[in-house]
Amino acid sequence: PGYGTFENGRQMQPDDLWVSIVVDTVDDHLYKADLLIRTLDRHASIPPGQVIVHYVNRLPAAAVATFARMGCKTRKIEPFLDEKYCNKLQQLSFADEFGLSEPAGLLLLDVDIAVTAPLVIPDRDRIAGKIVDAPHPPIHVLARIFEAAAVALPEQVQCDWNIGKTFATNFNGGVLYIPARHADVIGKSWKNFASYLFENPSLFENDQQLRHIDQVSFALALGATEARYSHLPANSNFPAHGNTLPRTFDARSPIQILDYQGELDDFGFLRSALKVDAVQTALSVANECAVTCSNIHFYERF
């Protein structure tokens, strides 16, 4: 229970799935990370002992100690490139430190994620992610970048909000699944392409698009390494911050993960403009954990 059945019929065992997050000094990061860790434990049966908290070197020691007391593994990282969105690229160089190997899987999660039901991964041997909600950056920009990087253009697919097309490897970075045996190769390629894009900002049209360097470089890494991948439905990474029902949402299945971004009210409870029953049910489940906090200072900072 708490681990989804894969297409090949094999269920993940408790030590098969690890979760990795990056925590920075942004005021609400600590509160969000704590909420995520507790929803993983309660709703997906993934205990803190299988959560790796990568923290930037500027995080106070007392905050790191709280995550360690919860049972999480902690690992200090240096900020990378833009020192904001690209810090997540520091997560894949640690597999040997914690003994991750075949058949383990790794979930990279943003901190503004809440888990509301047992997690389902389509195929344990393939990298997985959800198609972006909107065409960010636009597909003509993506095509220019892929051509400049000498990576073959992927298949074009409809964005999840049906407002344009994107590449099939342009995943939302909030939820990514990577088999542990691919972590090193993908991690190195991801960093190389991110550095290339960071050094060539003219490939993008404006500064706003530069915030997608981590996302686009991951798409490039998938293409360059020819890694096998599968797509997650919106149930596995549901955009609670939007007001549009994603095309890949399956109403017959519960929402497993909410990507709520800034959708917290003044008291730290999740909210959404979508009044769909499945969304409201998931919000209620997540908010059961938001009633408490592991460290009152995390809540005060929020």
Side-chain angles (χ1 to χ4, degrees), residues 36 66 76 87 91 102 105 115 126 138-139 157 187 205 274:
L36 167 57
T66 295
K76 184 167 69 173
N87 291 340
Q91 295 177 86
E102 183 78 20
V115 178
R126 293 174 180 252
I139 195 162
V157 297
E205 292 179 321
L274 278 168

Side-chain angles (χ1 to χ4, degrees), residues 44-58:
S45 302
I46 299 177
Q50 286 162 227
V51 177
I52 303 166
V53 176
H54 300 262
Y55 63 94
V56 293
N57 54 7
R58 52 197 175 223

Side-chain angles (χ1 to χ4, degrees), residues 180-196:
R181 61 189 178 88
H182 294 319
D184 186 58
V185 171
I186 288 294
K188 288 176 179 175
S189 182
W190 193 9
K191 275 189 169 183
N192 286 339
F193 281 116
S195 297
Y196 170 73

Side-chain angles (χ1 to χ4, degrees), residues 45-99:
S45 302
I46 299 177
Q50 286 162 227
V51 177
I52 303 166
V53 176
H54 300 262
Y55 63 94
V56 293
N57 54 7
R58 52 197 175 223
L59 199 69
V64 179
T66 295
F67 293 119
R69 281 195 300 272
M70 293 172 72
C72 300
K73 308 290 188 291
T74 60
R75 180 174 180 264
K76 184 167 69 173
I77 60 172
E78 297 291 329
F80 188 61
L81 297 182
D82 64 1
E83 301 189 356
K84 189 175 182 181
Y85 301 107
C86 289
N87 291 340
K88 66 170 61 176
L89 274 75
Q90 301 283 53
Q91 295 177 86
L92 294 183
S93 58
F94 70 93
D96 292 341
E97 286 182 39
F98 297 101

Side-chain angles (χ1 to χ4, degrees), residues 228-241:
R228 297 194 306 159
Y229 63 88
S230 57
H231 289 139
L232 297 176
N235 302 61
S236 300
N237 186 0
F238 194 94
H241 57 282

Side-chain angles (χ1 to χ4, degrees), residues 7-284:
E7 291 174 346
N8 59 11
R10 179 186 179 281
Q11 273 200 319
M12 295 203 85
Q13 299 303 311
D15 58 352
D16 274 344
L17 192 60
W18 288 64
V19 171
S20 177
I21 63 175
V22 174
V23 180
D24 206 335
T25 52
V26 181
D27 279 347
D28 61 4
H29 258 217
L30 295 170
Y31 174 74
K32 289 178 174 179
D34 175 62
L35 181 60
L36 167 57
I37 292 164
R38 290 185 293 110
T39 61
L40 277 164
D41 193 12
R42 181 179 297 189
H43 303 306
S45 302
I46 299 177
Q50 286 162 227
V51 177
I52 303 166
V53 176
H54 300 262
Y55 63 94
V56 293
N57 54 7
R58 52 197 175 223
L59 199 69
V64 179
T66 295
F67 293 119
R69 281 195 300 272
M70 293 172 72
C72 300
K73 308 290 188 291
T74 60
R75 180 174 180 264
K76 184 167 69 173
I77 60 172
E78 297 291 329
F80 188 61
L81 297 182
D82 64 1
E83 301 189 356
K84 189 175 182 181
Y85 301 107
C86 289
N87 291 340
K88 66 170 61 176
L89 274 75
Q90 301 283 53
Q91 295 177 86
L92 294 183
S93 58
F94 70 93
D96 292 341
E97 286 182 39
F98 297 101
L100 270 69
S101 61
E102 183 78 20
L106 182 66
L107 271 174
L108 307 187
L109 302 179
D110 282 352
V111 293
D112 46 14
I113 292 288
V115 178
T116 55
L119 307 180
V120 179
I121 310 296
D123 185 333
R124 73 182 181 92
D125 296 320
R126 293 174 180 252
I127 292 168
K130 190 188 81 70
I131 290 294
V132 292
D133 298 311
H136 300 312
I139 195 162
H140 67 272
V141 174
L142 285 176
R144 180 170 67 230
I145 290 171
F146 270 70
E147 289 168 355
V151 177
L153 300 186
E155 173 191 2
Q156 294 188 20
V157 297
Q158 196 72 16
C159 292
D160 222 16
W161 280 340
N162 277 317
I163 53 175
K165 289 193 172 184
T166 191
F167 286 157
T169 53
N170 192 18
F171 295 162
N172 177 281
V175 179
L176 296 171
Y177 170 79
I178 301 174
R181 61 189 178 88
H182 294 319
D184 186 58
V185 171
I186 288 294
K188 288 176 179 175
S189 182
W190 193 9
K191 275 189 169 183
N192 286 339
F193 281 116
S195 297
Y196 170 73
L197 295 179
F198 190 74
E199 293 164 3
N200 293 275
S202 61
L203 289 171
F204 295 89
E205 292 179 321
N206 52 56
D207 290 346
Q208 183 67 18
Q209 291 178 5
L210 291 176
R211 65 184 294 183
H212 300 300
I213 283 179
D214 63 305
Q215 173 185 305
V216 177
S217 56
F218 189 83
L220 287 167
L222 285 182
T225 60
E226 298 183 341
R228 297 194 306 159
Y229 63 88
S230 57
H231 289 139
L232 297 176
N235 302 61
S236 300
N237 186 0
F238 194 94
H241 57 282
N243 56 9
T244 303
L245 201 61
R247 67 176 179 84
T248 62
F249 172 65
D250 183 357
R252 299 166 298 178
S253 301
I255 292 174
Q256 305 150 35
I257 292 178
L258 289 170
D259 179 356
Y260 60 87
Q261 295 193 15
E263 289 302 311
L264 291 174
D265 67 18
D266 291 342
F267 298 96
F269 290 103
L270 281 67
R271 61 190 176 189
S272 175
L274 278 168
K275 304 308 177 185
V276 180
D277 287 348
V279 177
Q280 295 302 311
T281 297
L283 289 172
S284 296

